[in-house]
Amino acid sequence: VQLQASGGGLVQAGGSLRLSCAISGRTFRHYAVGWFRQAPGNEREFVAAISWSGSRTDYSGSILGEGRFTISRDNAKNTIFLQINTLKPEDTAVYYCAAAPVVAALTLPEEYEYEQWGQGTLVTVSS
């Protein structure tokens, strides 16, 4: 299974971006997907996760109350999305998507739970 993240770029504060994660290869019948990000000088951190059916989503506690991030998926296209609105300079980071096979409708918030990772897409937010 290969993951290809895209959609990053340079955007002004207050703007929006939709990141995509295309999954190809041997596609698991059921797989959970997560988004993580790593800002310069920081460790990689969890952003959002979605279950294989899309019925469950999970967000980092630091962003949950803001309502700026929305994770979604289109299983027919094997693509997962991360919509980020009202971007802030502190959102600047490389965003990674990751996938893991699951047997239940789970969301996985921990890095170690994932088996496949994309190469990351850079989001830069200017003030």
Side-chain angles (χ1 to χ4, degrees):
V1 175
Q2 294 80 43
L3 283 73
Q4 180 74 39
S6 62
L10 174 63
V11 63
Q12 288 188 336
S16 298
L17 281 175
R18 188 174 80 158
L19 308 184
S20 299
C21 178
I23 302 178
S24 61
R26 178 180 174 270
T27 306
F28 295 109
R29 179 179 177 87
H30 295 161
Y31 55 93
V33 177
W35 283 97
F36 294 77
R37 67 183 180 183
Q38 186 168 22
N42 291 353
E43 294 185 350
R44 190 157 57 186
E45 64 175 356
F46 169 70
V47 176
I50 191 166
S51 62
W52 70 268
S53 66
S55 60
R56 294 187 179 184
T57 57
D58 189 15
Y59 296 90
S60 164
S62 64
I63 67 172
L64 178 62
E66 295 182 348
R68 299 188 296 115
F69 291 72
T70 304
I71 188 171
S72 61
R73 65 190 298 160
D74 184 342
N75 281 350
K77 297 181 178 179
N78 286 332
T79 303
I80 291 80
F81 304 99
L82 183 68
Q83 178 73 36
I84 314 174
N85 298 325
T86 319
L87 279 154
K88 303 177 180 180
E90 50 263 43
D91 294 322
T92 295
V94 177
Y95 285 72
Y96 299 90
C97 57
V102 293
V103 295
L106 302 173
T107 55
L108 307 176
E110 303 291 342
E111 286 191 44
Y112 72 85
E113 297 175 295
Y114 290 92
E115 298 183 6
Q116 284 78 31
W117 290 80
Q119 84 291 355
T121 185
L122 176 62
V123 172
T124 304
V125 184
S126 62
S127 57

